[in-house]
Amino acid sequence: MTDVNDRLLHARVVNDIRARIASGDLAVEKRIPSTAQLVEEYGVSISVVRRAVDTLKNEGLLQGQPGKGVYVIATPEQVAAERRSLESLASEVADLRTDLQALTKRLDSDSHARTVATEVAELRSAVEQLYARLGYAYPTSDAGTPKRRHRNTGT
Amino acid sequence: MTDVNDRLLHARVVNDIRARIASGDLAVEKRIPSTAQLVEEYGVSISVVRRAVDTLKNEGLLQGQPGKGVYVIATPEQVAAERRSLESLASEVADLRTDLQALTKRLDSDSHARTVATEVAELRSAVEQLYARLGYAYPTSDAGTPKRRHRNTGT
DNA sequence: GCCCATTTGTTCGTATGTATA
DNA sequence: TTATACATACGAACAAATGGG
């Protein structure tokens, strides 16, 4: 399973730290050993450790806090799931679009409200799963205050 | 628009090179100046140039080839579109869920097919935008074979 | 409030290896 | 073989933030 890049020192450190995070040795919300400690542990230069930690920060597993330390903020599984969600989401949306198109077609032809209700129910289920895949909860009982959330424009 | 990190040397170089790629000064499939040349151009150390190029390689804009040079393999727009898709998708799906919930509610109360048709049309428009935001084309005439795609259960 | 040790973050310099022409 | 250029690795200096005394 180990990458072919294991010959490279910084890649070896990256893989090892990633494995320690996955195994729970380095837990989320916890500190990892300091740079100096990692230098002693792995017997490499400070540059290699810096590059390894930098890579994992870039991957989204670690986050440094000057003066305090470097903390684990996610597991490799979470990051992998996050990355995977984009591709699988594309096919999910494709399914949703197909269903929606069929529903529109059926609605346009006649007025079978019962059939349409069933279709919509399935559609809602699809969106529900889509929503869950994004990591958000699906509030089923928010009919009390159906305030529409403003669109986050980002940056 | 420029990041607050513009004080950092390597960030300055990153932003400048990214701008040069966006403006077409550094074209795709073409070589960027060598490391030594960039050192002279920006008046920084080789470490800064290395880190800047490394960042852009990590972003997917550049790709180094030992013995030859560093090549542009993508524009910032392409990368930005790819990155933006995930975050904006969350809010898009949120709106979609709200609309769908309202549609279900309306369907459950009575059988106003005309009103439902309007709601569905809006929903389809939302999905259309969602689809476009993912970078995929929206085939409007594939209703011939509405085969239902198997649901990916993930992990 | 001040000093000091620890730690991360940025920058600089240098040496060696490897690939291409 | 030689020259160019990227890739990796080692080492060191300084700034900034944090926490303890």
Side-chain angles (χ1 to χ4, degrees):
Chain A
M1 189 65 75
T2 56
D3 285 72
V4 193
N5 303 330
D6 265 7
R7 321 177 234 242
L8 277 43
L9 285 182
H10 71 264
R12 239 196 55 201
V13 176
V14 164
N15 290 331
D16 193 82
I17 294 179
R18 197 189 289 117
R20 286 168 73 178
I21 295 174
S23 69
D25 181 20
L26 298 177
V28 178
E29 303 287 327
K30 291 292 186 180
R31 251 200 58 190
I32 72 172
S34 69
T35 305
Q37 287 177 326
L38 291 176
V39 165
E40 284 192 5
E41 285 188 29
Y42 292 101
V44 295
S45 70
I46 192 176
S47 305
V48 171
V49 171
R50 286 231 158 272
R51 177 161 184 178
V53 172
D54 217 57
T55 298
L56 291 171
K57 281 191 291 186
N58 201 299
E59 287 184 8
L61 276 77
L62 301 178
Q63 188 179 51
Q65 295 184 24
K68 295 187 65 178
V70 178
Y71 291 79
V72 181
I73 60 175
T75 66
E77 289 78 13
Q78 293 171 345
V79 174
E82 195 80 16
R83 295 226 173 264
R84 211 188 313 273
S85 64
L86 192 69
E87 290 103 21
S88 60
L89 226 106
S91 57
E92 295 284 351
V93 170
D95 292 348
L96 208 152
R97 185 191 60 80
T98 303
D99 295 342
L100 206 55
Q101 202 169 36
L103 176 62
T104 307
K105 199 174 179 181
R106 198 177 295 262
L107 240 176
D108 191 44
S109 61
D110 56 10
S111 59
H112 288 172
R114 300 285 190 279
T115 311
V116 172
T118 308
E119 301 275 2
V120 168
E122 290 184 14
L123 246 171
R124 194 169 70 92
S125 173
V127 172
E128 210 167 321
Q129 292 185 6
L130 210 72
Y131 208 68
R133 209 172 286 268
L134 280 170
Y136 292 92
Y138 187 83
T140 51
S141 59
D142 60 344
T145 56
K147 58 175 71 173
R148 189 184 187 83
R149 286 282 288 280
H150 191 267
R151 184 84 46 79
N152 186 3
T153 52
T155 7
Chain B
M1 188 69 73
T2 55
D3 287 73
V4 193
N5 304 329
D6 264 10
R7 325 172 219 249
L8 276 45
L9 287 182
H10 69 263
R12 238 195 55 202
V13 176
V14 164
N15 290 331
D16 193 83
I17 293 180
R18 198 189 288 117
R20 286 168 73 178
I21 296 174
S23 70
D25 180 22
L26 298 177
V28 179
E29 304 285 327
K30 289 292 186 180
R31 249 199 60 188
I32 72 173
S34 68
T35 305
Q37 285 177 325
L38 291 176
V39 166
E40 285 193 5
E41 285 187 30
Y42 292 101
V44 295
S45 71
I46 191 174
S47 305
V48 172
V49 172
R50 286 231 157 275
R51 178 160 185 178
V53 172
D54 216 57
T55 299
L56 291 172
K57 281 191 290 185
N58 201 299
E59 288 184 7
L61 276 78
L62 301 178
Q63 188 179 53
Q65 294 183 25
K68 295 187 66 179
V70 179
Y71 291 80
V72 181
I73 60 175
T75 66
E77 288 80 12
Q78 294 169 346
V79 176
E82 197 79 17
R83 295 227 173 257
R84 209 188 315 271
S85 57
L86 191 68
E87 291 97 14
S88 58
L89 225 110
S91 56
E92 294 286 347
V93 170
D95 291 347
L96 210 149
R97 182 191 64 83
T98 305
D99 295 341
L100 204 54
Q101 201 170 36
L103 174 62
T104 307
K105 199 172 176 182
R106 199 177 294 265
L107 243 175
D108 191 43
S109 59
D110 55 12
S111 59
H112 288 170
R114 299 287 190 277
T115 313
V116 173
T118 307
E119 300 278 0
V120 169
E122 290 182 15
L123 237 170
R124 195 168 72 92
S125 174
V127 173
E128 207 167 323
Q129 291 182 4
L130 205 75
Y131 208 68
R133 213 170 284 265
L134 278 170
Y136 292 92
Y138 186 81
T140 50
S141 58
D142 61 344
T145 55
K147 57 176 74 175
R148 186 179 188 84
R149 288 279 290 278
H150 188 268
R151 187 78 45 80
N152 187 2
T153 51
T155 350

